[in-house]
Amino acid sequence: MTSTATPPTRALALRAWRDYDKDACALPGMSLGAVDLTAPPDEQAARLWELGARRLEFTGEIDLTAVDDPADAAHAVRSLCLIRDLTARAVLVQWQLRLPPEPDDGWRDLSHLQPPRTLTGPTDPAAALAEWRNGHYLCKCLWRQGPGFVQIRDRRWGELRRFTAEEPEYQQAIDRLSYGAPLRDVPTAIAADFLAERLVSRTGPLLWWLPYRVNRWIQEAMAV
């Protein structure tokens, strides 16, 4: 995919380790330390995987209540897209999230991502976070591209919602939105479709694509 996000104004602050288990990460040679992400956004997850990262920690909170400034919005979108891509690779991600109070179920839009360590914003954040953790599994909201079509399979709401688009304009829109793009960059009707199905999220002036493409299948692809 081609990244179209507004260039970030500051680097992401990450720490990385070579193992999922916290105790194993304390052993000599398991820490990758602070990671400097210099690759383009669409290559960052692959780069971290190649470095051996299996556990990552964002050192700052992702605050979606303070994204009016384009630079803050771009930084938040870049962070969330990286979490999305790392989730697709089954990398353990530790992060903190602050959401606006409305809508109260806004966390469900992100419930296919690795659950955050802390959640602020919902009326009952502890209950929302517990539900997110208990209901999380890989392949909860994904998309895949076949010959001449795009298919999205979404189970964030408890049942399977499947969408198939054969029009090339939808594929082009997904490419534009993969790492954040202004609303004006997407045809109005397609953006409305994606927003209505909650397949994109609005962060400040940017829209970004929520489903991920799976890199590691946990079962046969036809069963997902």
Side-chain angles (χ1 to χ4, degrees), residues 34-54:
V35 178
D36 181 18
L37 294 178
T38 58
D42 57 344
E43 299 175 6
Q44 288 175 350
R47 175 59 177 156
L48 288 166
W49 182 265
E50 290 168 0
L51 287 172
R54 299 297 181 266

Side-chain angles (χ1 to χ4, degrees), residues 54-67:
R54 299 297 181 266
R55 183 186 187 102
L56 281 141
E57 178 182 298
F58 282 74
T59 58
E61 181 182 62
I62 299 175
D63 186 355
L64 298 185
T65 68
V67 290

Side-chain angles (χ1 to χ4, degrees), residues 115-149:
R117 187 171 57 191
T118 64
L119 176 63
T120 306
T123 303
D124 189 342
L129 184 54
E131 186 174 351
W132 187 341
R133 289 173 175 167
N134 293 335
H136 176 70
Y137 53 86
L138 290 180
C139 303
K140 195 168 189 177
C141 182
L142 60 88
W143 75 279
R144 53 188 178 180
Q145 183 176 359
F149 71 92

